[in-house]
Amino acid sequence: GESVGLHLPTLSVQEGDNSIINCAYSNSASDYFIWYKQESGKGPQFIIDIRSNMDKRQGQRVTVLLNKTVKHLSLQIAATQPGDSAVYFCAERVPSGAQKLVFGQGTRLTINP
Amino acid sequence: NAGVTQTPKFQVLKTGQSMTLQCAQDMNHNSMYWYRQDPGMGLRLIYYSASEGTTDKGEVPNGYNVSRLNKREFSLRLESAAPSQTSVYFCASSEWAGGSYEQYFGPGTRLTVT
């Protein structure tokens, strides 16, 4: 079935270091991917998205890389700050006609001072 | 522009009680969604509505009903609450057009069923 999974459920990094959060997806037909950030007690917030015709997309301090060959997605956060502590979810759109996203389990990112 | 709003923020129910979770969006989006999130878990889709007048089941629809009241509002009803429905419920909306599939989320409703 459709699924989006993550390699690691938790990740700890030192403040100022770069963080890399990984995501594996199962459906090679998926044509759109999105990363969300969820802070404690809040709803998920959009970070960045990428279409399948791209390999890389950059935002402010974040970069998403897409490797369609191995069905892998990653989110890179540069110069991690305490405010980056959160759970990060990836999601994919499978062009099945249904207007929905499939979400992964999530990775909890903890920033150490 | 409030985005997606949900009421109530917190609710405690006894087993067997019923309640309706309310969701409204002011972005004129066509699509709306209800998710549940259990502790340490991801988001699981309960129901969604691709457009006003239509609703479809998601991954975990059992025990829930929905109503797309109009383009702005999408409600989730628990007819007979069970402890297994203790969770955080998120509503989301999306335009789902022009290559944009971003979903905008509300702040959530924390439901405890005892």
Side-chain angles (χ1 to χ4, degrees):
Chain A
E2 300 168 353
S3 68
V4 178
L6 293 170
H7 293 308
L8 296 172
T10 61
L11 178 65
S12 293
V13 299
Q14 292 297 122
E15 183 178 349
D17 287 352
N18 297 335
S19 302
I20 300 176
I21 301 171
N22 296 304
C23 177
Y25 63 95
S26 61
N27 198 316
S28 58
S30 292
D31 62 359
Y32 173 86
F33 304 87
I34 189 168
W35 282 99
Y36 281 93
K37 173 185 181 182
Q38 186 178 25
E39 295 176 281
S40 181
K42 297 183 179 180
Q45 290 181 295
F46 170 84
I47 301 173
I48 192 167
D49 59 3
I50 187 168
R51 290 176 175 76
S52 60
N53 61 354
M54 302 171 69
D55 296 324
K56 178 180 180 179
R57 192 170 187 212
Q58 289 184 291
Q60 187 178 10
R61 279 202 308 119
V62 295
T63 300
V64 56
L65 298 177
L66 176 62
N67 185 331
K68 294 181 286 295
T69 301
V70 295
K71 293 185 285 188
H72 184 267
L73 191 70
S74 68
L75 177 70
Q76 300 179 1
I77 305 173
T80 314
Q81 302 169 357
D84 295 327
S85 291
V87 176
Y88 291 81
F89 294 97
C90 65
E92 64 181 319
R93 173 188 177 258
V94 179
S96 62
Q99 295 181 9
K100 58 182 181 178
L101 296 173
V102 177
F103 283 83
Q105 180 185 358
T107 292
R108 180 174 299 281
L109 178 64
T110 301
I111 312 303
N112 301 316
Chain B
N1 190 338
V4 178
T5 56
Q6 294 182 236
T7 56
K9 286 186 168 52
F10 301 92
Q11 184 70 50
V12 178
L13 292 178
K14 293 188 185 331
T15 297
Q17 289 185 317
S18 62
M19 80 161 294
T20 299
L21 281 65
Q22 306 287 353
C23 174
Q25 52 93 8
D26 62 2
M27 295 172 281
N28 202 37
H29 285 165
N30 289 314
S31 303
M32 297 186 73
Y33 307 82
W34 276 107
Y35 294 90
R36 62 176 288 173
Q37 184 177 36
D38 299 326
M41 301 288 287
L43 297 161
R44 292 190 290 172
L45 183 64
I46 304 171
Y47 271 95
Y48 67 103
S49 171
S51 61
E52 187 178 354
T54 68
T55 59
D56 287 283
K57 294 179 180 179
E59 182 185 356
V60 289
N62 291 345
Y64 305 95
N65 286 303
V66 290
S67 295
R68 183 74 183 267
L69 304 171
N70 47 55
K71 192 171 186 179
R72 288 187 65 249
E73 299 172 289
F74 188 38
S75 63
L76 178 72
R77 183 160 178 84
L78 286 70
E79 290 291 352
S80 179
S84 61
Q85 294 178 304
T86 293
S87 191
V88 181
Y89 291 85
F90 289 101
C91 177
S93 72
S94 174
E95 179 56 26
W96 204 270
S100 172
Y101 308 115
E102 177 187 350
Q103 293 183 11
Y104 296 77
F105 285 82
T109 294
R110 283 145 187 80
L111 175 66
T112 301
V113 183
T114 62

